[in-house]
């Protein structure tokens, strides 16, 4: 494993890399048609979940100093509610965006210093036991990614796909 400058990221880095694997595994074999299905009109569809996941990567990158813009940010920024009147991108486009931003964010995670991670980053949650720092934002992004992979995994089962695999592609370095 690559060694981050900050020991504070020794938990975040492996989680980030595992989420990269899980994200791709969760989407494996899902048809574009099924990716737009909602359950009883109550759930988000897989495309929305995948788009929000990718948007989290762009958001984390922004906080760490990248200035890459999510091409679909207007659809997913800050978990914007699904709107069936919008035309959402396909899974192929979302995976392309994922592969574009993820290695860049990974590199920024490796380069981040303790001082940078301790910088205040106003999240706006106003939770007394969560200091609003860049480090805690990174942790919240990891938590959100975990949640979204779980949601996609559940949708796989509901839509009669096999359960998500936990295969690891050792060539995926981010």
């Amino acid at each position: 494993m690559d060694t981050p400058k900050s020991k504070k990221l020794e938990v975040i880095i492996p989680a980030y890399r595992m989420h990269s694997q899980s994200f791709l595994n969760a989407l494996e074999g899902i048809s574009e048609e099924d990716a737009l299905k909602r359950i009883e009109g109550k759930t988000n569809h897989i495309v929305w979940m995948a788009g929000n996941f990718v948007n989290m990567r762009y958001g984390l990158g922004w906080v760490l100093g990248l200035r890459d813009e999510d091409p679909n940010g207007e659809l997913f920024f800050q978990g914007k509610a699904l709107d069936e009147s919008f035309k959402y991108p396909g899974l192929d486009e979302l995976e392309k965006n994922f592969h574009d931003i993820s290695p860049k964010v990974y590199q920024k995670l490796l380069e981040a210093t303790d001082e940078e991670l301790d910088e205040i980053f106003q999240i706006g949650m106003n939770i007394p036991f969560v200091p609003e720092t860049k480090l805690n934002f990174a942790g919240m992004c990891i938590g959100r990614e975990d949640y979204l992979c779980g949601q996609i995994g559940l949708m796989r089962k509901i839509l009669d796909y096999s359960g998500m695999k936990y295969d690891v592609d050792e060539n995926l370095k981010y």
Side-chain angles (χ1 to χ4, degrees):
M1 183 178 98
D2 295 320
T3 304
K5 282 185 182 177
S6 173
K7 290 205 172 288
K8 294 179 180 186
L9 293 175
E10 287 182 343
V11 172
I12 299 285
I13 298 281
Y16 181 90
R17 289 197 57 196
M18 194 63 216
H19 288 170
S20 293
Q21 300 282 335
S22 296
F23 177 71
L24 296 172
N25 290 344
L27 295 179
E28 180 68 34
I30 303 281
S31 73
E32 292 291 338
E33 179 184 354
D34 286 344
L36 291 170
K37 289 182 179 174
R38 299 177 68 202
I39 308 308
E40 297 179 8
K42 295 178 182 178
T43 65
N44 291 318
H45 48 56
I46 291 173
V47 164
W48 186 92
M49 295 170 195
N52 188 238
F53 184 105
V54 173
N55 186 258
M56 291 303 305
R57 294 269 165 119
Y58 278 96
L60 180 55
W62 188 267
V63 168
L64 296 173
L66 289 175
R67 291 301 172 248
D68 295 48
E69 294 280 341
D70 181 352
N72 298 296
E74 73 281 354
L75 299 172
F76 304 111
F77 183 67
Q78 294 184 336
K80 184 176 182 175
L82 185 145
D83 184 333
E84 290 189 281
S85 69
F86 293 164
K87 179 170 179 6
Y88 285 88
L91 292 178
D92 286 345
E93 180 182 341
L94 292 172
E95 283 190 39
K96 178 187 169 298
N97 296 338
F98 164 81
H99 286 298
D100 180 55
I101 193 63
S102 294
K104 296 173 188 176
V105 175
Y106 180 69
Q107 190 60 43
K108 292 300 267 184
L109 285 167
L110 291 174
E111 295 169 358
T113 65
D114 287 347
E115 295 75 29
E116 290 170 307
L117 295 168
D118 288 340
E119 288 175 12
I120 298 298
F121 178 72
Q122 296 295 328
I123 302 166
M125 295 184 74
N126 301 317
I127 300 170
F129 56 87
V130 180
E132 294 191 345
T133 64
K134 290 182 178 183
L135 177 63
N136 282 339
F137 182 77
M140 290 180 162
C141 289
I142 292 297
R144 180 70 178 171
E145 288 182 1
D146 207 27
Y147 171 80
L148 290 164
C149 282
Q151 291 290 301
I152 296 170
L154 179 61
M155 289 293 285
R156 287 183 67 84
K157 297 297 282 180
I158 292 169
L159 296 171
D160 288 326
Y161 287 86
S162 63
M164 186 185 92
K165 304 275 189 282
Y166 288 90
D167 298 339
V168 173
D169 176 357
E170 294 188 35
N171 294 313
L172 186 66
K173 302 293 185 187
Y174 50 84

